[in-house]
Amino acid sequence: MQHFISAAALAGVALSQTTPPTSPFKINCQTNTSPDGQPGPAFTALQPRDDGEYNVIWSTFARSYGAVAASGGYGNNVNVDNFCDVSDNSSYTQVADNGIFDWPNGINPVPIEVFGANGYLAVADGFATPAAHDGCIAIINSNGAQPATAGDIQFISQGCGNGNVVQTKYFYHYVQWVDMDGDGDLDILTARGSSLTNPTDLDASMLVWFQNPGSLFSTTARTWKEFVIESSADVCDVGFDLTQYGNTKYVICGGFASGKLALFSGDDWTNTANIEFTLIDQPEGVSYYFSQTWADMNNDQVPDAIVTIGSYGVDNGLMYVYPGVDTAGKLSLAAGVLVYDQFPLFSSASVGSPGEALPFYYGVNDKLNGTLPSILVSGDDDGFMYMFDPTGYTSPDGSDFNWVYNEQVIMKTKQFSPFVTPFNAPTVGQPTIADIDGDGCNDIVVPSYYLKQIVFLEQKSKRNCATV
């Protein structure tokens, strides 16, 4: 059943989150994402629309429930005071109802060049539970009637009820659109794991990519050829990221189950047996790698890697930056620099902090202007959003940066205690960074899984932003 709620109703919820007085952000508005009592949002993305606006889309999941929803449109009103104002004509739409996916995770719009139109969403589905272990990579056509049915979905991989009983069942967390074979169109890169009960005890895991056949969207044809990276077996399972440096593609992945951090590289990724594998040195006792992200953090034109490690009942969560090194045109990583080691440790091994870490520019032109990026971090089960601003440099271009950051909490869902469990954790999910109102300052879309809301964070001072 399709649901629509007026923007005024969406914007009328009480502000349950807070931003500390020292935070450079304020809560512009927030929307209720669960009008019928569904679980809250976990992963977010922005979906372009043909009218020039965009939707905020999110995945939501719990045991015996999994769906994809959207609210929009936003972005067509420049310098609006309230992102959720009724003039935005925002509405809530159930894009894929419960029963299509068991545990949808990362979602993102399919780039328009893949099928020649907007309105397609890629979904990574599944988790290590008996009911959700048969996950998949799939594409939803949201241009038709909603919520989508099986007749609106193209399954790129086996799984989600497709395939036979003897095939290994995998779960997926993220997809990345990359031209893996150099033929000019975009393919799908992902990592996957297999387990009935425990994401830290896998039967199999690996990097895999699916080759775009160059055909139109089809719900009946599964023609995306699968390429498994042999050297990634039992290393990669959840997080990963790809960057191209010179003619070589480099993938960094950290195993949530394996506790290994590795670099994979090659010029020809169709020759999967020849992809080079390098294990990256790591601190003793590190286990749960959560996210890995490439970004040039010191303006030397060489990609660096931001890496987070969750606490999960073992030790305080960590964030490292691994500086990139160019040796005769080949990319490698120097020893990791510890940025922060005080993400909270909880009494339950089923919850942890931090989650994703992303490079953040206060102004939309800051990257072009040579400003060093900050790091936006989701606290995951602690309910906080963190910002790490670079402070360790004196030269205007940051060329003498020594990897020192100032940490601050920019949003709190509520005050947590050490006695957090999966049932009471004030969890926030994967944020999205965008200039919502077109004022040249980047805003943050935060999914509050715990409060079942999307929270829009706006910068208090526009002085932080470069001139548009």
Side-chain angles (χ1 to χ4, degrees):
M1 182 175 65
Q2 189 170 6
H3 306 281
F4 292 97
I5 298 178
S6 72
L10 286 168
V13 237
L15 293 180
S16 302
Q17 291 87 354
T18 60
T19 52
T22 57
S23 172
F25 292 85
K26 62 182 179 180
I27 296 174
N28 180 287
C29 62
Q30 55 201 107
T31 66
N32 180 4
T33 63
S34 307
D36 294 334
Q38 303 101 322
F43 295 80
T44 60
L46 297 181
Q47 178 191 30
R49 293 159 43 126
D50 290 336
D51 62 4
E53 297 186 348
Y54 55 82
N55 296 324
V56 176
I57 56 174
W58 63 87
S59 64
T60 181
F61 53 74
R63 294 186 184 275
S64 302
Y65 187 88
V68 177
S71 178
Y74 303 103
N76 203 28
N77 294 324
V78 178
N79 297 320
V80 294
D81 293 330
N82 188 339
F83 300 164
C84 308
D85 191 83
V86 69
S87 64
D88 290 328
N89 196 27
S90 306
S91 62
Y92 171 92
T93 304
Q94 191 87 339
V95 177
D97 215 342
N98 186 35
I100 299 295
F101 302 107
D102 292 321
W103 199 286
N105 297 300
I107 51 175
N108 60 43
V110 176
I112 192 170
E113 58 263 39
V114 175
F115 295 128
N118 287 323
Y120 297 94
L121 304 175
V123 180
D125 179 74
F127 194 53
T129 70
H133 73 287
D134 183 24
C136 65
I137 300 295
I139 295 175
I140 303 172
N141 179 8
S142 66
N143 294 310
Q146 294 174 353
T149 66
D152 302 304
I153 296 174
Q154 179 173 359
F155 293 94
I156 302 299
S157 72
Q158 300 288 345
C160 292
N162 301 283
N164 59 56
V165 293
V166 300
Q167 289 173 326
T168 302
K169 305 297 189 293
Y170 293 103
F171 59 85
Y172 303 79
H173 273 76
Y174 301 95
V175 300
Q176 189 171 3
W177 291 95
V178 186
D179 182 4
M180 297 297 294
D181 53 9
D183 66 353
D185 59 22
L186 296 176
D187 311 296
I188 292 175
L189 174 67
T190 187
R192 64 190 184 189
S194 178
S195 175
L196 274 169
T197 58
N198 190 341
T200 66
D201 184 16
L202 302 181
D203 300 319
S205 65
M206 74 269 317
L207 280 174
V208 60
W209 67 275
F210 295 91
Q211 188 176 48
N212 184 344
S215 55
L216 296 177
F217 176 85
S218 170
T219 61
T220 58
R222 184 180 287 109
T223 55
W224 292 57
K225 183 179 178 181
E226 177 183 289
F227 290 82
V228 175
I229 308 304
E230 290 92 331
S231 57
S232 70
D234 301 322
V235 178
C236 306
D237 49 31
V238 176
F240 65 93
D241 195 21
L242 180 147
T243 190
Q244 181 153 336
Y245 193 69
N247 294 322
T248 303
K249 293 179 175 66
Y250 295 85
V251 175
I252 185 170
C253 83
F256 188 83
S258 69
K260 297 176 181 177
L261 185 65
L263 188 65
F264 299 86
S265 59
D267 297 343
D268 179 9
W269 280 69
T270 62
N271 188 353
T272 58
N274 284 348
I275 300 303
E276 184 177 345
F277 162 68
T278 304
L279 195 64
I280 299 172
D281 290 338
Q282 58 193 44
E284 184 177 354
V286 167
S287 299
Y288 304 116
Y289 284 99
F290 196 100
S291 76
Q292 304 84 47
T293 305
W294 290 108
D296 181 7
M297 303 302 295
N298 61 343
N299 282 350
D300 65 353
Q301 310 308 310
V302 181
D304 312 299
I306 311 169
V307 175
T308 61
I309 298 114
S311 50
Y312 296 97
V314 174
D315 206 343
N316 290 91
L318 308 170
M319 181 171 66
Y320 282 83
V321 173
Y322 287 79
V325 177
D326 181 314
T327 304
K330 184 176 181 179
L331 176 64
S332 62
L333 293 175
V337 178
L338 179 62
V339 176
Y340 194 66
D341 62 357
Q342 294 300 308
F343 295 103
L345 173 66
F346 304 112
S347 56
S348 171
S350 297
V351 291
S353 177
E356 286 89 353
L358 303 169
F360 182 86
Y361 293 92
Y362 284 89
V364 296
N365 287 338
D366 280 1
K367 185 174 183 179
L368 292 175
N369 292 337
T371 302
L372 291 182
S374 299
I375 307 175
L376 172 67
V377 184
S378 166
D380 201 12
D381 292 317
D382 72 7
F384 288 4
M385 296 298 299
Y386 299 82
M387 188 69 76
F388 292 82
D389 295 317
T391 59
Y393 64 95
T394 57
S395 61
D397 62 355
S399 58
D400 61 344
F401 183 51
N402 63 359
W403 307 102
V404 175
Y405 291 85
N406 175 57
E407 172 269 335
Q408 60 181 322
V409 174
I410 63 171
M411 191 198 85
K412 296 181 179 182
T413 299
K414 74 171 195 175
Q415 189 64 41
F416 63 84
S417 76
F419 304 104
V420 169
T421 72
F423 302 102
N424 67 1
T427 305
V428 291
Q430 178 196 56
T432 296
I433 301 166
D435 179 8
I436 302 293
D437 56 357
D439 66 355
C441 294
N442 278 317
D443 309 298
I444 304 170
V445 181
V446 180
S448 176
Y449 185 87
Y450 173 76
L451 291 169
K452 302 180 180 182
Q453 295 173 353
I454 293 288
V455 183
F456 293 85
L457 297 181
E458 177 187 18
Q459 294 183 48
K460 292 177 181 176
S461 172
K462 308 305 180 183
R463 290 194 299 269
N464 291 325
C465 306
T467 302
V468 181

